[in-house]
Amino acid sequence: MTEVVNIAPSTRHEGHAKLILEVDEKGIVSRAYYINTTPVRGFETMLVGRPAEFAPIAVMRICGICQTTHGIASCSAIEDAIGCEVPEDGLLLRELVGLGNRMHSHLLHHLLTLEDFIKPDEEDLKIDTIKLIQRMRKVGQLIVDIVGGEGIHPPNIVIGGMRTNISERAKAKLYYALKQYEKDAHMMYEIYVELIERYLEEVGIPDLGSHDYPYIASHTTYGDKYAINWDSVVEIPPHRYYKDIKIAESTSVMIPLYEGVPAEGGPRARLVKFGNFKSGGSVMDINIARAKENLGAVYRAIEILDELNINGKTRTTPEYRDGFGIGVHEAPRATNTHFAEVGKDGRIKSYKIIAASTWNFPVVEKAIEGYPHQYAEVIMRAYDI
């Protein structure tokens, strides 16, 4: 006999969601529903008819954690629509502020998942790891503060590039902070590898949360619209995706599919597609991939500081024309995409967003199915939702 287990809300993640599990007599999940309960906020509709410059300002308010990636994707979409070329140093600064967002956000998710893997009697390890996490988060926030101009809604991210360059003193401060972050990132990676290996050994399910669905990613540290076949990307409403009407009615968020099926985005997807990370293993590997991306982010951030000309031009004045553009940025969670249609009067004609988190909601369901129900939340938390 099937039992229905409701976990509402699900906890220790960054969005708003609930889990509904259909569990068989052996305690195995036969069907999982991971429902995004975020209400309609209307950003796409709100932008229509507004000046294009308002778009990145507005969309940075979609999420208090993903503000930087939404600003970058929005500017990129509008620039693509009007054929605006961002100067090289402006692109470098944009990539750097995006990396700062990732270096802060990934560590926040480490903090949220830590309780799943550290045992109650390991208080010293827990305290030391939390201190390490907080020290690393400060560096990510410092980058966004300095390069973006503000930590919450960085105003330096503008259409045409970046509003200002950084000073020599700021560059030196960032370089010093990044060298410490590099040391800490190695330590964090070792901690998470050990914790995940121990956890999988103790639960005795080495493939916990594995799935056969594809990965979606466009770049390692920035975003590349040419890396994805957009003809294969569709969004469908919940009532078309879920056969259960009550389930479908409990969410208003569109379901993105790649080539007709769910696709995983985020750290593991990027490292599988552009690195040598193994695919098809336990979903717990995403936690390791996230820790590994901390290292990739700090290495690239240091390279950017070496490449950056602090006296270089960072912004081009946009000239508006009729056009449609796609802006892609690899957010901490997955591929974040904005689609903008702009008029020659400089106003938004239409706007669409596939937010990064939405890619992984249907994949979480597939990862949970076929495994004991008591691991559902741990599987869910491997994804940064």
Side-chain angles (χ1 to χ4, degrees):
M1 182 177 178
T2 300
E3 179 185 358
V4 177
V5 177
N6 285 280
I7 303 172
S10 48
T11 61
R12 284 195 283 124
H13 56 79
E14 293 147 25
H16 305 277
K18 62 180 178 181
L19 271 169
I20 302 172
L21 311 175
E22 295 179 3
V23 182
D24 66 20
E25 63 278 2
K26 295 181 180 180
I28 304 299
V29 178
S30 57
R31 185 71 175 90
Y33 302 94
Y34 188 39
I35 304 301
N36 187 338
T37 57
T38 302
V40 174
R41 292 172 291 180
F43 279 90
E44 294 157 314
T45 303
M46 178 198 309
L47 295 178
V48 176
R50 295 294 194 98
E53 291 84 358
F54 177 67
I57 295 172
V59 299
M60 279 195 275
R61 272 71 182 171
I62 289 174
C63 175
I65 299 167
C66 295
Q67 66 304 91
T68 302
T69 181
H70 280 300
I72 292 172
S74 180
C75 288
S76 297
I78 295 167
E79 289 155 0
D80 185 43
I82 64 176
C84 177
E85 295 289 334
V86 177
E88 180 181 355
D89 289 305
L91 287 174
L92 288 172
L93 287 171
R94 258 203 208 158
E95 185 178 358
L96 182 58
V97 74
L99 288 171
N101 183 207
R102 180 182 294 185
M103 292 161 68
H104 175 272
S105 179
H106 273 3
L107 270 297
L108 176 58
H109 201 68
H110 288 321
L111 185 64
L112 294 173
T113 61
L114 199 60
E115 199 76 19
D116 291 328
F117 310 118
I118 289 186
K119 298 178 180 180
D121 62 349
E122 295 178 319
E123 192 67 20
D124 289 344
L125 174 60
K126 181 178 179 179
I127 291 171
D128 289 345
T129 306
I130 289 173
K131 287 180 178 178
L132 176 63
I133 287 171
Q134 297 294 56
R135 186 165 70 234
M136 295 175 71
R137 288 181 67 211
K138 286 182 179 179
V139 176
Q141 194 64 55
L142 178 68
I143 295 171
V144 179
D145 282 338
I146 290 177
V147 181
E150 180 185 305
I152 303 302
H153 304 119
N156 285 349
I157 303 171
V158 293
I159 298 168
M162 294 289 283
R163 193 184 304 276
T164 60
N165 210 324
I166 61 173
S167 66
E168 186 65 45
R169 182 178 179 183
K171 182 177 179 179
K173 186 175 183 178
L174 289 177
Y175 192 84
Y176 177 82
L178 286 167
K179 295 305 289 184
Q180 179 60 53
Y181 188 101
E182 181 181 359
K183 296 176 184 177
D184 290 341
H186 278 285
M187 193 182 309
M188 180 61 65
Y189 178 71
E190 291 172 0
I191 289 171
Y192 255 83
V193 168
E194 184 175 335
L195 287 175
I196 297 303
E197 288 180 349
R198 184 182 72 177
Y199 179 81
L200 289 174
E201 183 178 350
E202 289 181 349
V203 301
I205 310 175
D207 68 343
L208 181 66
S210 66
H211 65 77
D212 297 324
Y213 288 84
Y215 297 99
I216 186 166
S218 70
H219 196 268
T220 53
T221 59
Y222 193 74
D224 179 5
K225 75 168 188 174
Y226 298 105
I228 293 175
N229 177 10
W230 296 105
D231 291 335
S232 297
V233 175
V234 298
E235 278 191 302
I236 62 175
H239 71 267
R240 285 177 53 198
Y241 184 75
Y242 295 111
K243 295 179 181 179
D244 189 312
I245 299 301
K246 289 184 178 180
I247 296 294
E249 289 177 345
S250 65
T251 179
S252 59
V253 179
M254 299 286 280
I255 309 294
L257 303 174
Y258 191 63
E259 297 183 345
V261 297
E264 179 185 313
R268 180 167 64 173
R270 287 187 285 264
L271 293 180
V272 167
K273 291 185 73 69
F274 301 106
N276 58 1
F277 204 80
K278 67 178 181 178
S279 62
S282 168
V283 75
M284 295 299 106
D285 290 344
I286 299 177
N287 293 293
I288 296 175
R290 187 171 294 111
K292 193 170 185 179
E293 274 204 330
N294 293 332
L295 287 163
V298 71
Y299 294 151
R300 178 57 186 151
I302 291 171
E303 284 181 353
I304 289 172
L305 288 180
D306 290 336
E307 296 171 17
L308 180 68
N309 175 7
I310 60 171
N311 297 310
K313 184 179 180 182
T314 63
R315 185 186 184 189
T316 298
T317 301
E319 296 181 5
Y320 289 99
R321 67 186 190 192
D322 291 330
F324 172 81
I326 302 174
V328 179
H329 186 256
E330 286 295 326
R333 289 147 193 80
T335 305
N336 184 28
T337 311
H338 288 227
F339 305 85
E341 184 182 5
V342 182
K344 60 184 178 181
D345 60 355
R347 292 182 178 274
I348 300 293
K349 289 185 174 181
S350 66
Y351 207 93
K352 178 183 175 183
I353 302 167
I354 302 179
S357 293
T358 58
W359 280 107
N360 287 324
F361 272 88
V363 176
V364 168
E365 297 171 345
K366 305 305 180 184
I368 290 172
E369 291 171 2
Y371 293 95
H373 70 91
Q374 62 264 36
Y375 302 117
E377 282 194 282
V378 180
I379 292 171
M380 170 272 293
R381 270 191 291 271
Y383 293 89
D384 191 351
I385 299 292

